Amino acid sequence: MKLYNTLTRTVEEFIPNNKDCVTMYTCGPTVYHYAHIGNLRTYIFEDVLEKTLNYIGYNVKRCMNITDVGHLTSDSDSGEDKMLKGAKREHKTVLEIADYYTNEFKKDTEKLNIKWPEIVSKATDNIDMYINIVEKLLKDEYAYISGGNVYFDTSKLEDYYKLTNHNVDEMVVGVREGVEEDLSKKNQADFVLWFTKSKFDDQELKWDSPWGVGYPGWHIECSGISIKNLGEYLDIHCGGIDNIFPHHTNEIAQSESYLGHKWCSYWVHGEYLNDETGKMSKSKGEFLTVSLLEEKGYSPIHYRFMCLNSSYRKVLVFSYDALDQARNSYQKLKNKIKSLNKNLNKELDNVKTEEYKNKFKEALENDLNTSLALTVIYDLLKDDVNDTTKLYLIEDFDKVLSLDLLKEEKVEVDSELLEYINSMINKRNEAKQNKDYALADQIRNELEEKGILIKDTREGTIYELK
Ligand code: AMP
Ligand code: ZN
C-alpha cells in the first residue's frame, strides 16, 4: 500500500508499527453546527482509507474525537469558542448543542455509508489526560505559564514546522489570518495548552486544574485522545489539509515533547471541496448539507460517488451540474448491474476473479486511486465474464466503495418530480400533434438526461426512472 505522507512530502510504502493492528486517528467534527458536504468529503476519504486497509488484510483500530470545547473561531488561539457561539445562536447550552449536532453528524455519516469509528471520544471526557500532558510539558520546560494561560514554547523545538512549509516569518502579526498579537506569548508561534483567561465572554464549561479553573486548547484534545486510546506510536493520522497548520503541527509538537520520541508515522490529508469562489465553509454562500441535497432530490450516495470519482488529493469543485453528472453516471452503472442475471447458477470464474480483485487492489493501493478502482468495475461489466462472477466481485468491491451497488432501492417519486414529468409528457404530446417532431425528440432527450425514460404505448405515454 502506497500513501502520500505530508510529513515527508512523498508517496511512501505503508509499513505499520504492528502489522496485526493498524492504528488510525482522524480529527472529528466541532459540533457547533451541521457538517457541510466539504467536511464530509474528508470523512468519506478517511472511510475509504480504513476500508481499503481492511480489504488488503489489516485490522484497523480507529479513533475520532468530538470537539465540544476549546476550538476557537480562528484555528489559532484567538476569537470566540465555536461551541459557545453556537449555543448563543440557538439560545441553548453548550452541551445541548453538542449532543444535537453530534447526533446530526452521525446521521449524515450513516446516509453516506461512512463507518462510525470504533472509538469516538468527546473532548470533554478526557480532561484528566490533557492535565497530565500539560503537567509533564511544564516539568520538562516545553511549556510556560503566562498571563494566566499555559503556552507551548515552540522555540524549544528545532523542527516545529516539519509538517508544513510555513516559516517563522509568516507568524508575524498581520501576515496570516489568525495571527493576533498576544503579549503573553514568548514567541508568536506559541499556542495555548490550557486557558484560564479567555479573551471573550465567560466560557460555559470549565474544569479545575493545577493552573486554575479553565479549559483545554483545541490541539491538546487530539493528542490526548489519540495517545490515551491508540498508544504512544500511531500509524496514521488524517484530516483535511487545513488541519496541517496549526492544528497538526501543534499536535506533533506537544505529543512528541510529551512522549520523548516520534509519535505518528503517516500524515494523510484530504484536499478541499471548493465552491466557485474557493473553500467551502459554514459561514459563506449556500450552506450545503446532506439534508439539503436530499431536499433537492439527490441521494447522499450520489455525492459519495462524485467524491470517489476524483482523487482525495485534488481539489474538487462542487456544482449542481457536477452532481447531476455524478447522479447520471451512478444510475447508468446501477442499471447495468441490475441487468445482470442474479439467478444464473454458474460457478465463479476463479481466474477472472483473481485478475479483477488484483486490479481493484492495485488501484487502491496506489495512494487510494478510487476513480481507477471504479474503472475496474466498468471494465468488468464489459468483459466476457459470467454474471455470477460479476455480481460476486461487485459485492466484494462495494465493501470498500460502499456505494450500495447491489441495493435495489424503491424509487419514491416526489410530487414535484411527478408534476414536472407530466407537464413534459403533455408538452411532448402537443408537439407530436403539431408534427413538431424535433421538439418532441428534444423533450424526450431532456427527460432522458435526467434519468427519466419515456415509452409510447397503446395506453398512452408511460415513463420509467433509470
Ligand atoms: P471542523 O468541524 O471545522 O473541525 O472540520 C472537520 C473536518 O472537515 C476537518 O478535518 C477539516 O479539515 C475538514 N474540512 C473543513 N472544510 C473543508 C472543505 N471545504 N473541504 C474538505 N474538508 C474540509
Ligand atoms: Zn484534531
Tab-separated table of all heavy atoms in Angstrom, residues 27-32 36-43 46 67 71 82 218 238-243 270-274 279-282, ligand 1:
chain	number	residue	atom	x	y	z
A	27	CYS	N	-9.239	13.398	12.879
A	27	CYS	CA	-9.812	14.535	13.607
A	27	CYS	C	-11.315	14.592	13.356
A	27	CYS	O	-11.776	14.516	12.220
A	27	CYS	CB	-9.189	15.843	13.139
A	27	CYS	SG	-7.509	16.028	13.725
A	28	GLY	N	-12.056	14.724	14.427
A	28	GLY	CA	-13.514	14.715	14.308
A	28	GLY	C	-14.099	16.108	14.186
A	28	GLY	O	-13.372	17.103	14.136
A	29	PRO	N	-15.418	16.184	14.164
A	29	PRO	CA	-16.072	17.469	13.930
A	29	PRO	C	-16.123	18.344	15.180
A	29	PRO	O	-16.097	17.829	16.299
A	29	PRO	CB	-17.494	17.054	13.556
A	29	PRO	CG	-17.711	15.788	14.323
A	29	PRO	CD	-16.391	15.080	14.334
A	30	THR	N	-16.188	19.642	14.965
A	30	THR	CA	-16.515	20.564	16.043
A	30	THR	C	-18.030	20.719	15.965
A	30	THR	O	-18.560	21.202	14.963
A	30	THR	CB	-15.805	21.915	15.834
A	30	THR	OG1	-14.413	21.644	15.646
A	30	THR	CG2	-15.983	22.832	17.024
A	31	VAL	N	-18.718	20.255	17.007
A	31	VAL	CA	-20.174	20.070	16.884
A	31	VAL	C	-20.968	21.316	17.304
A	31	VAL	O	-21.762	21.282	18.234
A	31	VAL	CB	-20.620	18.810	17.664
A	31	VAL	CG1	-20.278	17.564	16.865
A	31	VAL	CG2	-19.951	18.734	19.044
A	32	TYR	N	-20.736	22.391	16.572
A	32	TYR	CA	-21.472	23.637	16.876
A	32	TYR	C	-22.470	23.957	15.770
A	32	TYR	O	-23.203	24.928	15.832
A	32	TYR	CB	-20.485	24.804	17.040
A	32	TYR	CG	-19.797	25.244	15.772
A	32	TYR	CD1	-20.110	26.461	15.171
A	32	TYR	CD2	-18.830	24.451	15.179
A	32	TYR	CE1	-19.482	26.863	14.011
A	32	TYR	CE2	-18.198	24.842	14.019
A	32	TYR	CZ	-18.522	26.040	13.443
A	32	TYR	OH	-17.896	26.433	12.284
A	36	HIS	N	-20.921	20.496	6.770
A	36	HIS	CA	-21.232	20.743	5.356
A	36	HIS	C	-20.597	19.628	4.526
A	36	HIS	O	-19.778	18.846	5.027
A	36	HIS	CB	-20.825	22.152	4.913
A	36	HIS	CG	-19.365	22.478	5.049
A	36	HIS	ND1	-18.381	21.791	4.388
A	36	HIS	CD2	-18.730	23.440	5.761
A	36	HIS	CE1	-17.212	22.303	4.677
A	36	HIS	NE2	-17.395	23.306	5.528
A	37	ILE	N	-20.972	19.570	3.256
A	37	ILE	CA	-20.509	18.423	2.462
A	37	ILE	C	-18.996	18.475	2.217
A	37	ILE	O	-18.398	17.474	1.841
A	37	ILE	CB	-21.304	18.273	1.145
A	37	ILE	CG1	-21.218	19.543	0.309
A	37	ILE	CG2	-22.753	17.885	1.426
A	37	ILE	CD1	-21.810	19.362	-1.101
A	38	GLY	N	-18.381	19.641	2.451
A	38	GLY	CA	-16.915	19.747	2.384
A	38	GLY	C	-16.291	18.960	3.526
A	38	GLY	O	-15.411	18.121	3.326
A	39	ASN	N	-16.789	19.199	4.745
A	39	ASN	CA	-16.307	18.417	5.896
A	39	ASN	C	-16.477	16.930	5.586
A	39	ASN	O	-15.572	16.124	5.812
A	39	ASN	CB	-17.135	18.702	7.155
A	39	ASN	CG	-17.121	20.148	7.595
A	39	ASN	OD1	-18.155	20.747	7.796
A	39	ASN	ND2	-15.943	20.720	7.742
A	40	LEU	N	-17.638	16.599	5.038
A	40	LEU	CA	-17.953	15.181	4.830
A	40	LEU	C	-17.095	14.553	3.744
A	40	LEU	O	-16.869	13.353	3.745
A	40	LEU	CB	-19.447	15.021	4.552
A	40	LEU	CG	-20.271	15.306	5.828
A	40	LEU	CD1	-21.709	15.657	5.500
A	40	LEU	CD2	-20.217	14.105	6.781
A	41	ARG	N	-16.568	15.377	2.835
A	41	ARG	CA	-15.634	14.825	1.838
A	41	ARG	C	-14.435	14.225	2.569
A	41	ARG	O	-13.952	13.142	2.221
A	41	ARG	CB	-15.151	15.927	0.874
A	41	ARG	CG	-14.197	15.344	-0.142
A	41	ARG	CD	-13.547	16.332	-1.083
A	41	ARG	NE	-12.785	15.604	-2.080
A	41	ARG	CZ	-11.798	16.099	-2.786
A	41	ARG	NH1	-11.467	17.365	-2.652
A	41	ARG	NH2	-11.139	15.359	-3.640
A	42	THR	N	-13.952	14.941	3.589
A	42	THR	CA	-12.804	14.438	4.345
A	42	THR	C	-13.150	13.115	5.036
A	42	THR	O	-12.367	12.164	5.015
A	42	THR	CB	-12.358	15.505	5.367
A	42	THR	OG1	-11.911	16.646	4.629
A	42	THR	CG2	-11.233	15.025	6.251
A	43	TYR	N	-14.359	13.035	5.607
A	43	TYR	CA	-14.733	11.787	6.294
A	43	TYR	C	-14.951	10.633	5.303
A	43	TYR	O	-14.735	9.473	5.648
A	43	TYR	CB	-15.973	12.006	7.170
A	43	TYR	CG	-15.705	13.037	8.253
A	43	TYR	CD1	-16.222	14.323	8.161
A	43	TYR	CD2	-14.872	12.742	9.320
A	43	TYR	CE1	-15.952	15.284	9.122
A	43	TYR	CE2	-14.579	13.703	10.286
A	43	TYR	CZ	-15.130	14.970	10.183
A	43	TYR	OH	-14.834	15.910	11.127
A	46	GLU	N	-11.477	9.310	4.520
A	46	GLU	CA	-10.947	8.546	5.654
A	46	GLU	C	-11.627	7.170	5.749
A	46	GLU	O	-10.989	6.170	6.084
A	46	GLU	CB	-11.166	9.342	6.952
A	46	GLU	CG	-10.314	10.605	6.981
A	46	GLU	CD	-10.743	11.625	8.031
A	46	GLU	OE1	-11.845	11.497	8.602
A	46	GLU	OE2	-9.980	12.568	8.288
A	67	THR	N	-15.128	17.376	19.037
A	67	THR	CA	-14.697	18.606	19.708
A	67	THR	C	-15.913	19.350	20.245
A	67	THR	O	-16.717	19.874	19.477
A	67	THR	CB	-13.907	19.507	18.743
A	67	THR	OG1	-12.745	18.777	18.336
A	67	THR	CG2	-13.463	20.793	19.409
A	71	HIS	N	-12.331	24.868	20.640
A	71	HIS	CA	-11.972	25.228	19.256
A	71	HIS	C	-12.446	26.655	19.001
A	71	HIS	O	-13.641	26.910	18.884
A	71	HIS	CB	-12.646	24.236	18.291
A	71	HIS	CG	-12.126	24.327	16.890
A	71	HIS	ND1	-12.544	23.492	15.887
A	71	HIS	CD2	-11.220	25.153	16.309
A	71	HIS	CE1	-11.925	23.794	14.769
A	71	HIS	NE2	-11.129	24.806	14.998
A	82	LYS	N	-16.096	28.221	19.338
A	82	LYS	CA	-17.153	27.941	18.362
A	82	LYS	C	-18.397	27.363	19.040
A	82	LYS	O	-19.521	27.610	18.626
A	82	LYS	CB	-16.658	26.942	17.314
A	82	LYS	CG	-15.615	27.519	16.372
A	82	LYS	CD	-15.264	26.529	15.276
A	82	LYS	CE	-14.247	27.118	14.323
A	82	LYS	NZ	-13.951	26.292	13.176
A	218	TRP	N	-7.668	23.533	21.817
A	218	TRP	CA	-8.198	22.553	20.865
A	218	TRP	C	-7.161	21.481	20.512
A	218	TRP	O	-7.465	20.288	20.443
A	218	TRP	CB	-8.648	23.311	19.603
A	218	TRP	CG	-9.064	22.465	18.446
A	218	TRP	CD1	-9.837	21.339	18.492
A	218	TRP	CD2	-8.748	22.681	17.064
A	218	TRP	NE1	-10.032	20.849	17.215
A	218	TRP	CE2	-9.369	21.657	16.323
A	218	TRP	CE3	-8.014	23.643	16.377
A	218	TRP	CZ2	-9.263	21.572	14.940
A	218	TRP	CZ3	-7.920	23.560	15.005
A	218	TRP	CH2	-8.534	22.535	14.292
A	238	CYS	N	-5.128	11.419	10.123
A	238	CYS	CA	-5.762	12.074	8.959
A	238	CYS	C	-6.485	13.346	9.347
A	238	CYS	O	-6.797	13.588	10.506
A	238	CYS	CB	-6.815	11.162	8.340
A	238	CYS	SG	-6.219	9.622	7.722
A	239	GLY	N	-6.833	14.080	8.328
A	239	GLY	CA	-7.657	15.281	8.473
A	239	GLY	C	-7.711	15.981	7.130
A	239	GLY	O	-7.131	15.506	6.140
A	240	GLY	N	-8.393	17.111	7.086
A	240	GLY	CA	-8.381	17.925	5.870
A	240	GLY	C	-7.099	18.746	5.838
A	240	GLY	O	-6.450	18.931	6.878
A	241	ILE	N	-6.750	19.270	4.659
A	241	ILE	CA	-5.447	19.966	4.579
A	241	ILE	C	-5.384	21.221	5.454
A	241	ILE	O	-4.302	21.654	5.825
A	241	ILE	CB	-5.030	20.335	3.130
A	241	ILE	CG1	-6.149	21.081	2.421
A	241	ILE	CG2	-4.570	19.139	2.338
A	241	ILE	CD1	-5.603	21.921	1.304
A	242	ASP	N	-6.539	21.788	5.780
A	242	ASP	CA	-6.491	22.973	6.655
A	242	ASP	C	-6.042	22.604	8.071
A	242	ASP	O	-5.688	23.474	8.859
A	242	ASP	CB	-7.859	23.684	6.699
A	242	ASP	CG	-8.987	22.756	7.119
A	242	ASP	OD1	-8.841	21.528	6.960
A	242	ASP	OD2	-10.008	23.261	7.606
A	243	ASN	N	-6.042	21.314	8.380
A	243	ASN	CA	-5.577	20.882	9.696
A	243	ASN	C	-4.042	20.820	9.796
A	243	ASN	O	-3.498	20.732	10.895
A	243	ASN	CB	-6.130	19.490	10.034
A	243	ASN	CG	-7.602	19.504	10.400
A	243	ASN	OD1	-8.267	18.491	10.331
A	243	ASN	ND2	-8.121	20.665	10.793
A	270	GLY	N	-6.696	15.136	3.253
A	270	GLY	CA	-7.618	15.239	2.119
A	270	GLY	C	-7.736	16.691	1.668
A	270	GLY	O	-7.748	17.604	2.505
A	271	GLU	N	-7.828	16.858	0.356
A	271	GLU	CA	-7.956	18.228	-0.198
A	271	GLU	C	-9.366	18.764	0.022
A	271	GLU	O	-10.281	18.033	0.359
A	271	GLU	CB	-7.636	18.206	-1.702
A	271	GLU	CG	-6.319	18.846	-2.063
A	271	GLU	CD	-6.257	20.365	-1.830
A	271	GLU	OE1	-7.274	20.983	-1.475
A	271	GLU	OE2	-5.166	20.928	-2.015
A	272	TYR	N	-9.509	20.035	-0.271
A	272	TYR	CA	-10.781	20.713	-0.053
A	272	TYR	C	-11.848	20.362	-1.073
A	272	TYR	O	-11.541	20.071	-2.240
A	272	TYR	CB	-10.595	22.220	-0.198
A	272	TYR	CG	-9.891	22.876	0.940
A	272	TYR	CD1	-9.039	23.952	0.712
A	272	TYR	CD2	-10.103	22.457	2.250
A	272	TYR	CE1	-8.393	24.587	1.753
A	272	TYR	CE2	-9.451	23.096	3.294
A	272	TYR	CZ	-8.616	24.150	3.041
A	272	TYR	OH	-7.992	24.777	4.059
A	273	LEU	N	-13.061	20.501	-0.627
A	273	LEU	CA	-14.180	20.659	-1.551
A	273	LEU	C	-14.363	22.175	-1.656
A	273	LEU	O	-14.508	22.864	-0.645
A	273	LEU	CB	-15.450	20.024	-0.987
A	273	LEU	CG	-16.664	20.208	-1.887
A	273	LEU	CD1	-16.577	19.253	-3.078
A	273	LEU	CD2	-17.969	19.929	-1.137
A	274	ASN	N	-14.298	22.669	-2.852
A	274	ASN	CA	-14.474	24.110	-3.069
A	274	ASN	C	-15.827	24.392	-3.699
A	274	ASN	O	-16.425	23.524	-4.329
A	274	ASN	CB	-13.407	24.633	-4.050
A	274	ASN	CG	-12.073	24.845	-3.367
A	274	ASN	OD1	-11.914	24.592	-2.180
A	274	ASN	ND2	-11.104	25.321	-4.129
A	279	LYS	N	-12.726	27.760	-0.957
A	279	LYS	CA	-13.008	26.705	0.025
A	279	LYS	C	-14.435	26.817	0.571
A	279	LYS	O	-14.875	27.895	0.939
A	279	LYS	CB	-12.019	26.829	1.194
A	279	LYS	CG	-12.203	25.760	2.235
A	279	LYS	CD	-11.486	26.093	3.530
A	279	LYS	CE	-11.888	25.104	4.609
A	279	LYS	NZ	-11.529	25.524	5.958
A	280	MET	N	-15.114	25.687	0.573
A	280	MET	CA	-16.461	25.686	1.139
A	280	MET	C	-16.356	25.837	2.647
A	280	MET	O	-15.527	25.207	3.286
A	280	MET	CB	-17.134	24.366	0.796
A	280	MET	CG	-18.559	24.299	1.252
A	280	MET	SD	-19.355	22.857	0.551
A	280	MET	CE	-19.474	23.315	-1.167
A	281	SER	N	-17.177	26.702	3.204
A	281	SER	CA	-17.162	26.829	4.664
A	281	SER	C	-18.574	27.088	5.158
A	281	SER	O	-19.470	27.386	4.378
A	281	SER	CB	-16.219	27.948	5.099
A	281	SER	OG	-16.800	29.184	4.775
A	282	LYS	N	-18.730	26.955	6.483
A	282	LYS	CA	-20.075	27.057	7.058
A	282	LYS	C	-20.580	28.490	7.029
A	282	LYS	O	-21.767	28.743	7.126
A	282	LYS	CB	-20.055	26.545	8.495
A	282	LYS	CG	-19.855	25.052	8.543
A	282	LYS	CD	-19.673	24.506	9.937
A	282	LYS	CE	-19.151	23.081	9.805
A	282	LYS	NZ	-18.783	22.445	11.010
B	1	AMP	P1	-14.349	21.096	11.657
B	1	AMP	O1	-15.701	20.561	12.024
B	1	AMP	O2	-14.358	22.516	11.225
B	1	AMP	O3	-13.333	20.843	12.760
B	1	AMP	O4	-13.857	20.286	10.367
B	1	AMP	C1	-13.994	18.902	10.256
B	1	AMP	C2	-13.112	18.362	9.146
B	1	AMP	O5	-13.519	18.887	7.862
B	1	AMP	C3	-11.634	18.697	9.271
B	1	AMP	O6	-10.870	17.527	9.029
B	1	AMP	C4	-11.392	19.742	8.199
B	1	AMP	O7	-10.079	19.684	7.720
B	1	AMP	C5	-12.385	19.326	7.130
B	1	AMP	N1	-12.822	20.404	6.217
B	1	AMP	C6	-13.224	21.653	6.524
B	1	AMP	N2	-13.589	22.347	5.405
B	1	AMP	C7	-13.416	21.505	4.347
B	1	AMP	C8	-13.617	21.601	2.925
B	1	AMP	N3	-14.107	22.697	2.333
B	1	AMP	N4	-13.329	20.512	2.161
B	1	AMP	C9	-12.868	19.353	2.728
B	1	AMP	N5	-12.655	19.210	4.062
B	1	AMP	C10	-12.921	20.252	4.877
